[in-house]
Amino acid sequence: MKLTILGCHSATPRWDANPTSQVLEVKGHLFLIDCAEGTQIQLRKFKVKFARIKHIFISHLHGDHFFGLVGLISTFRLLGREADLHVYGPKGIKEAILLQLKLGKSYTNYGLYFHELDSTEPQLLFEDEKVTVTTIPLDHRVYTNGFLFREKLGERTLDIEKARKLNVELSYYHKIKQGADAITKDGVTIPNAEITFDPPPAKSYAYCSDTAYFPAIVPQITEATTLYHESTFLEQHHHLAEKTKHSTAKEAAAIAKKANVGSLILGHYSGRYGNYENFRSEAQELFEHVELAEDGKVFQL
Amino acid sequence: MKLTILGCHSATPRWDANPTSQVLEVKGHLFLIDCAEGTQIQLRKFKVKFARIKHIFISHLHGDHFFGLVGLISTFRLLGREADLHVYGPKGIKEAILLQLKLGKSYTNYGLYFHELDSTEPQLLFEDEKVTVTTIPLDHRVYTNGFLFREKLGERTLDIEKARKLNVELSYYHKIKQGADAITKDGVTIPNAEITFDPPPAKSYAYCSDTAYFPAIVPQITEATTLYHESTFLEQHHHLAEKTKHSTAKEAAAIAKKANVGSLILGHYSGRYGNYENFRSEAQELFEHVELAEDGKVFQL
């Protein structure tokens, strides 16, 4: 999994600080997560091959997560896109986008499919042989979802040397990788576990922004490889976090700790702070593996 | 009049080429003309004191002139704006903006007034003691207006020395500047023209983008101090200009010549050209005083 941060700042775009958008590359997919104003410029700046994006996930309909979507959709049209595009986001997103395209007589030539969300229970949005995407209902001022991207467990790895030594029929190899027991040429059954290794662990990425401190998400994101959790404020502004239904760095760390995730990426910083190292240090009081998002930073998960 | 080009490129925002937006400073006003995606970033980048903007004029509802408006309106809210904001643009603009604010539960705290346009005749949009703004109906794929910003003629300048010599009553000075004849202490009437000079000529700025070659606008913009006219294409792509209802540089120059304007600024360049000097040279075949718009360039008119 490769995560590119296009923007990780809250509120308003500034010339050196972009609001939220990320690209997650996983198993051949390029998933776009949120799409603030200027996202298409960031995609070009960081040389993301953005024609490959087929699925866009919008957490909520605040401008700093959403105002760049109509422009990106229009740009796809101008670039002659033919592939379908799927947009997943809160109810109302379809009307807002289509109204603007209609006013500009700029309907897309490619297939544009909206999947509108209004459930407050986790919901499977996408699934193929290798990956699933599920909503993570969050607690914010408007209806908001995070997203859990989860690889499926791959095939077991065959211990080829042992299989040869034991005279296992070649035609069984495929089934053994899928978990079947082996049968030798002499008809002896060998339990699967004896001639296979566990597959590489399936990775998962949990994106949680924007949200108040909301421990209800913990069961769903437990053991995630990486958690991106918003941390708009430092502890000194805890009251503002409460008031605006955002989180502090320490609260993000508390969620990471409870969920026992592999690592925590912080972002969605308020513009009032000049230096972001304090976000790391406050989070590390509770949880060690903390990374700071930066516009343009790439994480290999 | 001071004109700041925030963006002057057509179609899609790129990291080094912004679509259309301009700021015109005239007689204490800061008028924003069009508002493509990224306009608020450009306003910050070029250090425009954008809280002073009270009137925004949107030519048409194509994304490259309009998709930055909702973000700017939202940013004004986040910055605690209290002053009223007036938006002038095609019918439908109000619904498109309000729907997005509603979805984000982000209505403004300041007064936001929409003045929706659908007339194909020139229409007075704004007037105070010093300046008027009028629509210039254009010919594009969707309903489009240019805008004519015109200073009012100032007061006449009194020839103080002559007034003293002729013994004109001090209390008449104010009326004389407004055009009244003078009366001396001895009761003799002096024709106004004999003791005043003409006021400095009133300047005007005509903004015409986007439009096909459309000579119908000539009477309205005749003798304008400066004309900004779109020139999306060079002559080699004249067929594309016709097809998409845009203009070539030469067509822009033809309008400038017919209207006998003081100078012509070209912009709205298609992304297919690497070098813009050809726009100047093709235009100068017909009209001498040609300037090229550039993102960030400031023109003193």
Side-chain angles (χ1 to χ4, degrees):
Chain A
M1 284 190 174
K2 178 182 166 189
L3 177 70
T4 302
I5 307 293
L6 301 171
C8 63
H9 298 265
S10 72
T12 69
R14 284 151 284 159
W15 80 269
D16 59 347
N18 292 271
T20 303
S21 183
Q22 311 185 343
V23 171
L24 182 71
E25 194 165 355
V26 49
K27 300 288 183 191
H29 295 287
L30 211 58
F31 294 128
L32 184 67
I33 310 167
D34 280 339
C35 191
E37 181 174 356
T39 292
Q40 58 175 317
I41 303 168
Q42 295 294 91
L43 285 165
R44 288 182 194 265
K45 187 170 169 189
F46 299 122
K47 301 197 193 313
V48 177
K49 295 200 167 60
F50 63 98
R52 280 182 52 213
I53 294 170
K54 291 187 179 146
H55 303 272
I56 300 177
F57 300 90
I58 301 293
S59 63
H60 65 300
L61 299 183
H62 280 155
D64 58 333
H65 295 250
F66 158 62
F67 283 166
L69 180 61
V70 67
L72 182 61
I73 286 170
S74 298
T75 292
F76 279 142
R77 183 183 67 85
L78 291 169
L79 297 178
R81 181 186 180 107
E82 293 182 354
D84 289 347
L85 182 67
H86 294 268
V87 176
Y88 307 81
K91 206 173 160 79
I93 192 169
K94 179 177 177 175
E95 188 189 355
I97 298 297
L98 292 192
L99 174 59
Q100 291 176 87
L101 299 184
K102 185 180 126 194
L103 287 170
K105 294 186 185 167
S106 306
Y107 282 120
T108 63
N109 299 317
Y110 58 89
L112 177 61
Y113 299 93
F114 289 90
H115 306 264
E116 294 199 313
L117 311 175
D118 58 5
S119 171
T120 52
E121 296 296 318
Q123 207 180 338
L124 180 70
L125 300 184
F126 175 83
E127 176 167 24
D128 68 5
E129 334 66 82
K130 294 188 171 171
V131 61
T132 61
V133 186
T134 313
T135 58
I136 307 170
L138 299 174
D139 179 23
H140 193 40
R141 301 195 303 279
V142 294
Y143 174 73
T144 304
N145 290 295
F147 302 103
L148 180 62
F149 301 84
R150 190 183 282 284
E151 291 178 3
K152 291 186 178 174
L153 208 60
E155 292 188 330
R156 299 187 65 79
T157 307
L158 183 63
D159 184 340
I160 299 261
E161 212 170 312
K162 204 164 180 181
R164 281 189 190 135
K165 228 182 259 174
L166 291 171
N167 242 332
V168 173
E169 284 272 14
L170 208 69
S171 59
Y172 277 88
Y173 281 16
H174 181 64
K175 286 202 163 171
I176 295 168
K177 285 180 188 168
Q178 295 179 320
D181 291 339
I183 299 176
T184 67
K185 284 179 182 162
D186 312 325
V188 181
T189 298
I190 318 276
N192 183 284
E194 283 184 21
I195 62 160
T196 63
F197 305 110
D198 286 346
K203 288 172 184 163
S204 57
Y205 173 61
Y207 168 87
C208 296
S209 184
D210 295 353
T211 187
Y213 175 66
F214 192 44
I217 65 177
V218 169
Q220 206 192 342
I221 66 172
T222 289
E223 307 282 342
T225 312
T226 299
L227 165 65
Y228 176 95
H229 196 290
E230 74 127 289
S231 60
T232 308
F233 296 105
L234 293 172
E235 275 308 300
Q236 65 182 117
H237 295 114
H238 190 275
H239 58 292
L240 290 181
E242 265 192 357
K243 187 178 155 198
T244 59
K245 292 211 162 193
H246 283 297
S247 301
T248 65
K250 204 166 177 178
E251 288 172 330
I255 297 290
K257 188 180 178 186
K258 280 179 200 284
N260 193 31
V261 300
S263 67
L264 168 66
I265 301 175
L266 296 178
H268 203 267
Y269 318 112
S270 159
R272 57 169 55 68
Y273 307 109
N275 179 332
Y276 302 122
E277 276 304 320
N278 290 338
F279 284 85
R280 191 202 302 272
S281 54
E282 290 195 0
Q284 282 184 331
E285 289 173 26
L286 291 181
F287 184 81
E288 196 191 338
H289 304 290
V290 177
E291 301 263 13
L292 297 181
E294 279 173 41
D295 295 2
K297 196 166 177 177
V298 175
F299 294 93
Q300 297 286 353
L301 311 187
Chain B
M1 286 189 173
K2 178 182 166 189
L3 178 70
T4 303
I5 307 292
L6 302 171
C8 63
H9 298 265
S10 72
T12 69
R14 283 150 283 158
W15 79 268
D16 58 348
N18 293 271
T20 301
S21 184
Q22 311 186 344
V23 171
L24 182 72
E25 195 164 356
V26 49
K27 299 288 183 191
H29 295 288
L30 210 59
F31 293 129
L32 183 67
I33 310 167
D34 280 340
C35 191
E37 181 173 355
T39 292
Q40 58 174 316
I41 303 168
Q42 294 295 93
L43 286 166
R44 289 181 193 264
K45 188 170 168 188
F46 299 121
K47 302 196 193 313
V48 177
K49 294 199 168 59
F50 63 99
R52 280 182 52 212
I53 294 170
K54 289 186 179 148
H55 304 270
I56 300 178
F57 300 90
I58 301 293
S59 62
H60 65 299
L61 299 183
H62 280 155
D64 58 333
H65 295 250
F66 159 61
F67 284 166
L69 180 60
V70 66
L72 182 61
I73 286 171
S74 298
T75 291
F76 279 141
R77 183 182 66 86
L78 290 169
L79 296 177
R81 180 187 180 105
E82 292 180 356
D84 290 346
L85 182 68
H86 294 267
V87 176
Y88 306 80
K91 208 173 157 77
I93 193 170
K94 180 176 177 176
E95 187 188 355
I97 298 296
L98 292 192
L99 174 59
Q100 291 176 85
L101 300 183
K102 185 179 126 195
L103 287 171
K105 294 186 184 166
S106 306
Y107 283 119
T108 62
N109 299 315
Y110 57 89
L112 177 61
Y113 298 92
F114 289 91
H115 305 263
E116 294 200 314
L117 311 175
D118 58 3
S119 171
T120 53
E121 295 296 319
Q123 206 180 338
L124 181 71
L125 300 184
F126 175 84
E127 176 166 25
D128 67 7
E129 333 67 82
K130 295 189 172 172
V131 61
T132 60
V133 186
T134 314
T135 57
I136 306 170
L138 299 174
D139 179 23
H140 193 40
R141 303 195 303 278
V142 294
Y143 174 73
T144 304
N145 290 296
F147 302 102
L148 180 62
F149 301 84
R150 192 182 282 284
E151 291 178 2
K152 291 186 178 175
L153 208 59
E155 292 189 329
R156 300 188 64 78
T157 307
L158 181 64
D159 184 339
I160 299 261
E161 213 170 312
K162 206 164 182 180
R164 281 193 190 133
K165 231 182 258 175
L166 291 171
N167 243 332
V168 173
E169 286 271 14
L170 207 70
S171 59
Y172 279 88
Y173 281 16
H174 181 63
K175 285 202 164 172
I176 296 169
K177 285 181 190 168
Q178 294 178 323
D181 291 339
I183 299 178
T184 68
K185 286 178 181 164
D186 312 324
V188 181
T189 297
I190 317 277
N192 183 282
E194 282 185 25
I195 62 160
T196 63
F197 305 110
D198 287 346
K203 288 173 183 165
S204 58
Y205 173 61
Y207 168 86
C208 296
S209 186
D210 294 355
T211 187
Y213 175 67
F214 192 45
I217 65 178
V218 168
Q220 205 192 342
I221 66 173
T222 289
E223 306 283 343
T225 312
T226 299
L227 165 66
Y228 176 95
H229 195 292
E230 76 125 291
S231 60
T232 308
F233 296 105
L234 293 173
E235 275 308 301
Q236 65 182 116
H237 295 114
H238 191 276
H239 58 291
L240 290 182
E242 267 193 356
K243 189 178 154 196
T244 59
K245 292 208 161 196
H246 283 296
S247 301
T248 65
K250 204 165 177 177
E251 288 172 331
I255 297 291
K257 187 179 179 184
K258 280 178 201 285
N260 193 32
V261 300
S263 67
L264 168 66
I265 301 175
L266 296 177
H268 202 267
Y269 318 113
S270 159
R272 57 169 55 67
Y273 307 110
N275 180 331
Y276 302 122
E277 275 305 320
N278 290 338
F279 284 85
R280 191 200 302 270
S281 54
E282 290 195 1
Q284 283 184 330
E285 289 172 27
L286 292 182
F287 184 82
E288 195 191 338
H289 303 291
V290 177
E291 301 263 14
L292 297 181
E294 277 173 41
D295 295 1
K297 196 165 177 176
V298 175
F299 295 93
Q300 298 284 356
L301 311 187

